[in-house]
Amino acid sequence: MTIHPRDILKDYGVSPKRSLGQNFLFDDNILARIVGLAELEKDHSVLEIGPGIGSLTRCLAPLTKSVVAVEIDDRLIPILEDQLQNYQNVTIRHEDILKFEPSRHFDKSYSVVANVPYYITGAILRHIYDFSELSPDLAILTVQQEVAKRLIAKPGKMSLLSTSVQYYAEIEMGFTIKAGSFWPKPEVDSAVVCLRSRSNRLIETQREKEFFRLIRVGYSQKRKQLQKNLRSLGFPRDYLQASFLRSGIDGSRRAETLSLKEWQLLFDELF
Ligand code: SAM
């Protein structure tokens, strides 16, 4: 049975830092369910973001080849070293995940498992899918329930977040976690989402930057018609109208109603 995080931290004279999103999971069943979603095999490598005091790390380590656990809080490093001393396949790195480059630590494929520090959920997603040279095959992420809902949204309720992340990965809802399973108890419930990276992306790598510029501009004023938002791209009005026509998309629609496929059609007509 997992020792309560409050007791472990107390032994080391450490108190949780809200500013670092420190809400520690202490429910064994939930930890096991998260690990179950990760489909781990003995030859897998795992990146754990924010291991905290190592509760999840301890469940991951026996099932995989290696776990790289990246923790920013220096006060937690000695705790992690003690708690994980029996697991030779765990590497603890005292680092900011937003500065961590996976390709330097993993040869080819790896998975991410994380109870994400909520204050940087968006930045972490951008970092692992957009900025990193090597994205994970699978990511099992515990995020705020509201964010989980936004991530799995369908056309009609899309956002810049869902469009961007769904471009990289197919996303499924795992299960929800009540706020009371964490200590300290956060204000909202959480949910685990599974992100499986797409093997075939819709746009060639060298054109992705441009594609994301289109999406960002499309969402720049959410309530506005897409054709009005896209004026700031600088295309002549006739050309913009003709592109909408050829792609079969009504320019008076809002960005949130477009599917990824429709963004691709529009992009191919415009650029
Ligand atoms: N994995 C533990 C668990 O499930 O109990 C802790 C999860 S807690 C929600 C988030 C963890 O991420 C904390 O340990 C926090 O210190 C760490 N963290 C916050 N910002 C970070 C960053 N930029 N890079 C790496 N770790 C970070």
Side-chain angles (χ1 to χ4, degrees):
M1 192 171 131
T2 309
I3 307 171
H4 198 288
R6 182 188 47 223
D7 299 330
I8 297 182
L9 288 176
K10 199 169 157 211
D11 282 349
Y12 289 82
V14 171
S15 47
K17 262 193 197 166
R18 223 189 149 119
S19 62
L20 288 178
Q22 290 179 350
N23 302 100
F24 302 99
L25 252 177
F26 62 92
D27 183 321
D28 285 337
N29 281 328
I30 288 173
L31 288 166
R33 285 178 76 190
I34 294 175
V35 174
L37 289 175
E39 303 170 0
L40 296 174
E41 304 273 349
K42 276 287 182 195
D43 59 347
H44 283 183
S45 304
V46 174
L47 165 62
E48 191 193 357
I49 301 169
I53 53 171
S55 319
L56 187 55
T57 330
R58 247 185 297 120
C59 304
L60 296 167
L63 303 173
T64 55
K65 186 175 80 178
S66 64
V67 180
V68 178
V70 180
E71 174 57 58
I72 200 170
D73 189 349
D74 55 339
R75 305 169 313 154
L76 302 181
I77 302 300
I79 307 182
L80 283 167
E81 283 167 353
D82 288 350
Q83 296 292 319
L84 301 169
Q85 58 181 310
N86 293 332
Y87 301 101
Q88 304 307 316
N89 60 342
V90 175
T91 308
I92 301 160
R93 294 204 55 101
H94 177 212
E95 214 171 315
D96 180 349
I97 190 62
L98 302 180
K99 300 200 172 119
F100 177 89
E101 174 48 60
S103 64
R104 281 196 229 117
H105 300 268
F106 304 106
D107 286 344
K108 250 193 5 248
S109 68
Y110 70 102
S111 304
V112 168
V113 182
N115 173 11
V116 171
Y118 294 158
Y119 74 109
I120 46 167
T121 305
I124 287 177
L125 286 166
R126 273 194 301 281
H127 184 71
I128 60 176
Y129 288 108
D130 201 0
F131 302 147
S132 298
E133 280 171 34
L134 189 64
S135 296
D137 293 346
L138 180 67
I140 307 299
L141 305 179
T142 304
V143 297
Q144 287 178 315
Q145 196 172 14
E146 272 318 300
V147 176
K149 284 189 189 148
R150 281 175 54 210
L151 282 170
I152 61 164
K154 301 250 182 301
K157 296 224 160 135
M158 296 294 279
S159 60
L160 182 56
L161 178 77
S162 58
T163 307
S164 318
V165 183
Q166 288 180 22
Y167 172 80
Y168 291 110
E170 287 181 67
I171 313 177
E172 262 180 84
M173 186 65 104
F175 59 93
T176 52
I177 309 178
K178 288 275 167 222
S181 301
F182 298 87
W183 182 85
K185 186 177 164 187
E187 270 150 34
V188 291
D189 292 340
S190 296
V192 185
V193 282
C194 312
L195 294 85
R196 211 172 289 276
S197 288
R198 296 181 190 278
S199 44
N200 291 319
R201 297 222 184 124
L202 286 173
I203 308 290
E204 307 92 73
T205 321
Q206 62 277 21
R207 299 173 76 212
E208 279 178 348
K209 235 185 170 156
E210 200 99 84
F211 181 64
F212 280 104
R213 188 162 73 95
L214 168 69
I215 296 174
R216 268 197 309 276
V217 174
Y219 277 107
S220 53
Q221 296 199 51
K222 270 186 64 187
R223 304 269 145 229
K224 254 192 178 178
Q225 296 182 0
L226 195 53
Q227 59 196 5
K228 292 194 175 147
N229 279 339
L230 294 192
R231 276 182 201 154
S232 66
L233 286 171
F235 293 118
R237 239 177 228 216
D238 293 355
Y239 178 79
L240 200 56
Q241 264 177 3
S243 299
F244 270 112
L245 213 59
R246 281 197 303 268
S247 62
I249 296 164
D250 180 346
S252 68
R253 286 169 60 184
R254 288 182 186 156
E256 66 194 12
T257 67
L258 262 65
S259 67
L260 266 172
K261 187 74 200 155
E262 288 176 314
W263 281 112
Q264 183 207 7
L265 290 172
L266 190 58
F267 176 72
D268 285 341
E269 290 302 336
L270 282 168
F271 292 88

